[in-house]
């Protein structure tokens, strides 16, 4: 992999690192404890350009590449995964959707405010019965008799930043009779300040507790036709393309969590004494730390490979699903493994809320839950079958 870091890459990485240490670190534990959404620091992150790193400047972003986004997100996640997931959703699920499929008018009206940090964006695919199964959507968006708006009804669940979002990209069935069903799915831009939209309770989560998540409800919500994203029936294609980008964000978040747990473990192993010597002198501890480092570096290379593939796709128009799925799957499993070992190294202190190790452990779990492994398996099997024929 030919990875040449520019001065701009180093700058955005250092900016994110300084911001995370100075602005987020002092409040991370408190917001994890209370579950309160960190509006103030999220707003500051937007002002720093962290909400639209790969968005061109003409649409309110910074105009950098996916590697720059990965570097910045990794640094934020090392300090607090809750802030990182808000940043990830805005960049990869919301902004990327408009960059790929939005009209010029939509980009200026709905992309610019989120990329510049004025408001928060969200992405609504999951439903209570379907998870991330975009072909099994039950929320409907039916065209009005005069063809000027869609009437939206139904419920979406587990919407990250749902309680705080001004705009949401929604996927709904605009043609419930379509067969196969995914051909009837369309994408829409929802303004949460309009009648017919409401929010459910904020979910009391195990980890990333300061990243607010909730159900959202639609009751005869009127969405103007000009707020449809892409063509009618293109929703499934849009959701799959956007999820490819989203997996890189999840992988970067997992990498940051794993790095934080690793660095804390190295420091603790050099300080803690047992049986007359530093615990870092015991071979079993050394092996755990060595394995942590290897898995982290392997994750990093998979993530960078996926980021480069995403940027190359602008010219080649090839999908980078396999690269993003492998990065997401391996990095999330690494985060869970590394944080588990970090608790073992810290022993009782790792289980105590006096240190952030148990928070890293809780935050890492959600990165494993998002799909990714099944997509890797499907694509690898398809390639094997092609080679065998």
């Amino acid at each position: 992999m030919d990875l040449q870091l520019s001065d701009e890459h180093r700058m955005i990485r250092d900016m994110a690192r300084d911001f995370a240490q100075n602005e987020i670190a002092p409040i991370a534990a408190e917001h994890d404890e209370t579950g309160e959404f960190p509006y103030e620091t999220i707003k500051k992150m937007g002002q720093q350009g962290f909400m639209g790193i790969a968005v061109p400047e003409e649409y309110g972003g910074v105009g950098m590449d996916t590697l720059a986004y990965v570097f910045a997100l990794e640094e934020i996640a090392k300090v607090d995964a809750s802030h990182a997931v808000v940043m990830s959703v805005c960049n990869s699920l919301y902004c990327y959707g408009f960059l790929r499929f939005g009209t010029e008018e939509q980009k200026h009206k709905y992309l610019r405010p989120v990329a510049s940090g004025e408001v928060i964006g969200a992405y609504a695919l999951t439903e209570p019965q379907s998870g991330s199964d975009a072909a099994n959507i039950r929320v409907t968006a039916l065209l009005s008799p005069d063809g000027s708006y869609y009437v939206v009804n139904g419920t979406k669940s587990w919407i990250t930043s749902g309680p705080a979002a001004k705009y949401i990209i929604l996927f709904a069935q605009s043609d419930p009779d379509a067969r196969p069903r995914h051909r009837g799915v369309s994408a829409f831009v929802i303004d949460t300040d309009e009648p017919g939209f409401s929010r459910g309770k904020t979910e009391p989560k195990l980890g990333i507790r300061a990243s607010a998540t909730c159900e959202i409800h639609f009751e005869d919500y009127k969405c103007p036709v000009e707020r449809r994203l892409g063509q009618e029936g293109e929703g499934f294609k849009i959701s799959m393309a956007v999820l490819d980008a989203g997996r890189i964000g999840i992988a970067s978040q997992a990498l940051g969590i794993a790095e934080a747990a690793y660095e804390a473990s190295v420091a603790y192993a050099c300080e803690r004494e047992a049986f007359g010597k530093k615990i870092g002198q015991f071979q079993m501890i050394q092996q755990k730390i060595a394995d942590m480092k290897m898995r982290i570096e392997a994750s990093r290379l998979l993530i960078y490979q996926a980021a480069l593939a995403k940027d190359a796709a602008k010219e080649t128009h090839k999908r980078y699903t396999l690269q993003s799925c492998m990065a997401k799957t391996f990095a999330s499993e690494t985060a869970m493994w590394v944080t588990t070992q970090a608790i073992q190294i810290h022993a009782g202190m790792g289980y105590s809320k006096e240190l952030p190790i148990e928070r890293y452990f809780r935050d890492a779990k959600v990165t494993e839950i998002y799909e990714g492994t099944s997509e890797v398996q499907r694509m690898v099997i398809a390639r094997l079958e092609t080679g065998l024929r």
Side-chain angles (χ1 to χ4, degrees):
M1 185 187 302
D2 183 18
L3 186 62
Q4 300 293 328
L5 296 190
S6 66
D7 291 339
E8 288 76 15
H9 284 135
R10 294 186 178 89
M11 177 196 71
I12 193 73
R13 182 189 60 193
D14 293 344
M15 281 179 58
R17 181 180 299 159
D18 291 343
F19 182 88
Q21 292 295 333
N22 296 328
E23 300 287 345
I24 300 176
I27 65 167
E30 179 184 353
H31 280 269
D32 174 70
E33 182 70 25
T34 64
E36 181 183 356
F37 189 83
Y39 285 101
E40 289 302 315
T41 44
I42 293 297
K43 184 177 180 180
K44 290 178 182 178
M45 286 172 65
Q47 293 168 349
Q48 292 285 322
F50 296 140
M51 295 303 178
I53 292 176
V55 175
E57 293 182 27
E58 62 186 297
Y59 304 127
V62 178
M64 299 184 73
D65 59 13
T66 306
L67 271 177
Y69 161 59
V70 165
F71 294 149
L73 184 56
E74 179 186 338
E75 294 296 334
I76 298 296
K78 281 178 70 173
V79 172
D80 183 41
S82 291
H83 283 78
V85 75
V86 177
M87 174 181 167
S88 177
V89 168
C90 283
N91 276 274
S92 60
L93 296 183
Y94 185 90
C95 291
Y96 181 67
F98 281 98
L99 287 177
R100 278 286 307 273
F101 302 100
T103 64
E104 281 299 306
E105 181 181 356
Q106 288 172 339
K107 290 174 183 177
H108 284 287
K109 191 170 183 179
Y110 304 111
L111 172 56
R112 174 180 286 278
V114 173
S116 61
E118 297 173 25
V119 298
I120 295 171
Y123 175 93
L125 176 64
T126 301
E127 296 183 5
Q129 80 293 331
S130 65
S132 297
D133 182 2
N136 192 30
I137 287 174
R138 296 183 185 177
V139 171
T140 58
L142 305 181
L143 196 60
S144 63
D146 64 1
S148 64
Y149 61 89
Y150 290 86
V151 180
V152 184
N153 282 286
T155 295
K156 292 286 185 180
S157 60
W158 291 102
I159 307 306
T160 302
S161 298
K166 163 65 172 172
Y167 298 121
I168 299 175
I169 295 180
L170 171 78
F171 296 89
Q173 280 284 354
S174 57
D175 182 4
D177 297 325
R179 294 295 180 271
R181 282 179 56 81
H182 71 268
R183 292 183 178 174
V185 176
S186 298
F188 305 91
V189 185
I190 300 300
D191 185 335
T192 61
D193 290 334
E194 294 177 346
F197 174 87
S198 61
R199 298 175 170 93
K201 71 177 179 68
T202 299
E203 296 290 348
K205 303 190 299 291
L206 170 71
I208 57 168
R209 287 173 42 77
S211 165
T213 305
C214 71
E215 282 192 340
I216 57 174
H217 307 288
F218 298 90
E219 186 173 354
D220 294 334
Y221 178 96
K222 294 181 179 179
C223 180
V225 168
E226 57 268 25
R227 294 219 306 258
R228 186 184 64 223
L229 188 63
Q231 299 301 310
E232 186 162 319
E234 284 191 333
F236 182 82
K237 178 182 77 173
I238 293 171
S239 69
M240 293 298 101
V242 171
L243 285 176
D244 283 348
R247 293 185 188 103
I248 297 175
I250 296 169
S252 302
Q253 177 187 339
L255 176 61
I257 296 169
E259 284 187 305
Y262 164 76
E263 291 178 5
S265 297
V266 171
Y268 191 75
C270 293
E271 296 171 1
R272 171 68 170 163
E273 290 188 5
F275 304 102
K277 56 182 177 181
K278 307 291 186 185
I279 64 171
Q281 294 178 271
F282 292 108
Q283 189 172 12
M284 286 299 294
I285 299 296
Q286 294 171 353
Q287 181 178 335
K288 288 180 185 295
I289 290 175
D291 286 344
M292 285 179 176
K293 182 63 173 176
M294 286 190 295
R295 295 189 190 205
I296 287 170
E297 293 307 317
S299 299
R300 188 190 312 282
L301 291 176
L302 284 171
I303 293 168
Y304 291 177
Q305 175 181 269
L308 292 172
K310 176 177 178 289
D311 287 338
K314 296 175 184 177
E315 302 296 332
T316 65
H317 304 292
K318 293 181 179 179
R319 288 193 66 183
Y320 50 94
T321 305
L322 183 60
Q323 293 92 331
S324 66
C325 282
M326 289 193 300
K328 181 267 162 199
T329 301
F330 193 84
S332 63
E333 291 176 353
T334 292
M336 198 67 238
W337 188 88
V338 168
T339 55
T340 300
Q341 299 308 312
I343 288 180
Q344 292 297 109
I345 290 171
H346 284 77
M349 290 305 299
Y351 202 68
S352 169
K353 285 186 176 290
E354 289 187 22
L355 295 180
I357 307 303
E358 58 85 30
R359 171 160 60 89
Y360 300 153
F361 175 82
R362 289 185 288 106
D363 288 347
K365 186 59 194 175
V366 75
T367 66
E368 280 192 314
I369 293 174
Y370 296 118
E371 58 82 31
T373 308
S374 60
E375 188 72 7
V376 175
Q377 292 172 338
R378 183 187 67 77
M379 296 190 72
V380 170
I381 289 170
R383 291 190 179 188
L384 286 172
E385 291 175 343
T386 300
L388 291 173
R389 283 199 291 268

